[in-house]
Amino acid sequence: MTERQATIRNQQGMHCRPSAVIYKAAQAYGGHIRISSANGSSTLDSMMALIALALTPGTIVTIQVDGPDDESFCQQLVELFENVYDFPPQNDSGVTP
């Protein structure tokens, strides 16, 4: 089992769209995943369970992965949780191209 921490950096926290990206990645993994924060813990079996954790900017989450190639997949999840999602993409001046 591999365990790592990530800090939520997305300005809007983990709302529906970033949660969907993380959930989709988790569904492709053949092992067990648990996400924990001060707000509680959840598996990634449900996108709504992830949203219910109310992961706001600055929240630290602990990611536990147990299964095949768990170190690599745990690092992938850290990157997804720490990603700054921008829907729709914007340029450096904050304007949608």
Side-chain angles (χ1 to χ4, degrees):
M1 178 171 68
T2 300
E3 179 176 302
R4 295 211 172 105
Q5 290 189 328
T7 302
I8 304 302
R9 295 186 176 148
N10 194 53
Q11 292 179 348
Q12 302 302 318
M14 287 293 111
H15 55 80
C16 290
R17 289 180 182 172
S19 293
V21 171
I22 294 168
Y23 172 75
K24 185 175 181 180
Q27 295 310 296
Y29 184 66
H32 300 283
I33 305 165
R34 176 158 293 283
I35 307 301
S36 303
S37 75
N39 296 338
S41 67
S42 174
T43 63
L44 286 179
D45 294 336
S46 163
M47 189 177 89
M48 293 307 293
L50 179 58
I51 292 170
L53 289 176
L55 301 176
T56 57
T59 300
I60 296 173
V61 296
T62 300
I63 303 165
Q64 296 175 326
V65 177
D66 189 18
D69 200 18
D70 53 9
E71 289 184 27
S72 175
F73 190 73
C74 192
Q75 182 58 40
Q76 180 183 347
L77 287 177
V78 167
E79 292 169 9
L80 288 173
F81 274 96
E82 290 188 341
N83 190 36
V84 176
Y85 296 89
D86 195 5
F87 300 105
Q90 298 179 351
N91 63 25
D92 291 336
S93 65
V95 177
T96 303

